[in-house]
Amino acid sequence: MGIDDATLTATGSVAGVMNGSSRFFWATLTDKTSYKFTFTLISILNLITTAILPYNKDGIGYLLLIAVVYLAEGGLLATYPVICAKIYGKKIGGLMYGFMFFFVGVCNMIGYILYAFARKKIKWEGVFWICFALNVVGIVLGLILKEVGYDWRD
């Protein structure tokens, strides 16, 4: 039993729309609140979806959960420049944003390599529980870290 091709195609399309269109929402939310609040909210959304996704057997449920994941992903990409500018200043912030954006890809490759070696032991459910644990760490860090930048003397 699996999810049919039409639902998977629709899921990819909806995920792309959610990722792109959600950036306006997340950028506005960050402007009205703070990047710490936004990142904590994104972590909570990801925490909920990674807890439910391994147990979902329905195609529409899968589509909705993946849509929420990509909604949150759009938030990460929308707030990276703001975070870098606030923490590192305008001069160093652009360089740090480049590093952050580059290392998203590096982390994806490392994650795939780790999963390729561990897939027989942890299976997909294990991957979701690892993501769940990382989101818990993100929420804890969001609650305890202060939103303070450094004086880089722009």
Side-chain angles (χ1 to χ4, degrees):
M1 180 170 96
I3 299 172
D4 63 283
D5 289 343
T7 304
L8 289 174
T9 302
T11 299
S13 298
V14 169
V17 169
M18 293 300 284
N19 185 336
S21 62
S22 70
R23 295 176 190 203
F24 299 108
F25 166 74
W26 292 113
T28 303
L29 183 65
T30 302
D31 288 343
K32 302 264 185 225
T33 59
S34 68
Y35 67 82
K36 181 180 168 182
F37 175 80
T38 303
F39 256 57
T40 304
L41 184 59
I42 289 168
S43 292
I44 290 169
L45 283 174
N46 281 327
L47 182 80
I48 292 167
T49 54
T50 55
I52 297 170
L53 201 51
Y55 304 105
N56 177 63
K57 303 295 182 209
D58 180 49
I60 299 301
Y62 179 77
L63 183 144
L64 293 173
L65 289 168
I66 295 299
V68 172
V69 167
Y70 276 84
L71 173 105
E73 181 70 19
L76 293 175
L77 296 174
T79 54
Y80 281 168
V82 173
I83 292 169
C84 289
K86 283 190 177 182
I87 291 177
Y88 298 105
K90 294 176 186 170
K91 190 181 287 185
I92 304 293
L95 179 66
M96 295 308 292
Y97 173 68
F99 282 125
M100 286 176 69
F101 202 76
F102 172 75
F103 278 101
V104 167
V106 171
C107 290
N108 286 333
M109 288 186 287
I110 291 170
Y112 174 76
I113 291 167
L114 291 174
Y115 176 70
F117 287 111
R119 72 175 172 240
K120 291 181 181 167
K121 288 189 179 187
I122 67 170
K123 300 190 177 25
W124 276 112
E125 289 80 14
V127 172
F128 287 114
W129 285 113
I130 290 170
C131 291
F132 182 88
L134 290 173
N135 282 298
V136 169
V137 169
I139 292 169
V140 169
L141 289 175
L143 294 173
I144 63 172
L145 294 177
K146 294 186 180 354
E147 190 173 335
V148 179
Y150 298 95
D151 185 9
W152 289 89
R153 300 285 179 207
D154 284 336

